[in-house]
Amino acid sequence: MLSRFNIAAFAATLSLATSAALAGVTDYTFEPVTPEMKKGDDVTVAIRLTNKQTGKPVADAVIFKTRVDMAPDGMADMVSDVAPLPSKEPGVYAFKTDLPMAGRYQVTLSAKVQGEPETVTGKVIVKATK
């Protein structure tokens, strides 16, 4: 009887561990620190990465892929270069980019978060004004 209990406990633990690992990447969200800014060259776009379950910012993630384009306004081919900037606040990742015209820009990010086996990817919309 004790061995059946041990087997059931092990199976339950394994099931919880597996579901936690699979659900991990959906526990994070990217959001703009400033959703609206003036158009121009060398604009700083800051994005906050947050753990949705704790509400806390995620520091020390490794952002390894970024893209800025005008997909929300039907111009996905209009892509701007992106350069990382030093972070001034834990969980906030800043980038220098050009927002040459007024409109909505999509910032796509891919990050590696400590303890998560999969890549965390998100899309954020920012608006450039005149």
Side-chain angles (χ1 to χ4, degrees):
M1 177 126 156
L2 185 58
S3 69
R4 284 187 185 172
F5 176 76
N6 287 342
I7 291 170
F10 176 74
T13 303
L14 185 60
S15 174
L16 286 174
T18 302
S19 66
L22 293 176
V25 294
T26 61
D27 290 340
Y28 301 93
T29 186
F30 290 100
E31 57 191 13
V33 172
T34 305
E36 195 169 303
M37 61 210 65
K38 290 202 180 277
K39 70 179 180 98
D41 294 338
D42 294 336
V43 175
T44 298
V45 176
I47 307 294
R48 181 176 289 114
L49 177 58
T50 306
N51 182 316
K52 290 192 272 187
Q53 292 195 354
T54 65
K56 294 182 180 179
V58 179
D60 300 325
V62 177
I63 308 292
F64 65 90
K65 185 176 177 187
T66 55
R67 177 182 165 101
V68 174
D69 61 47
M70 287 193 80
D73 285 347
M75 295 180 273
D77 291 340
M78 189 166 175
V79 179
S80 293
D81 290 334
V82 183
L85 295 171
S87 180
K88 296 180 181 180
E89 181 181 338
V92 174
Y93 302 90
F95 307 92
K96 181 172 62 170
T97 190
D98 296 336
L99 305 177
M101 60 188 289
R104 294 175 299 156
Y105 290 81
Q106 177 173 276
V107 182
T108 305
L109 304 113
S110 294
K112 284 294 187 184
V113 175
Q114 283 186 321
E116 294 299 337
E118 295 181 40
T119 299
V120 176
T121 301
K123 295 181 180 189
V124 176
I125 306 296
V126 295
K127 184 177 181 182
T129 60
K130 291 182 180 187

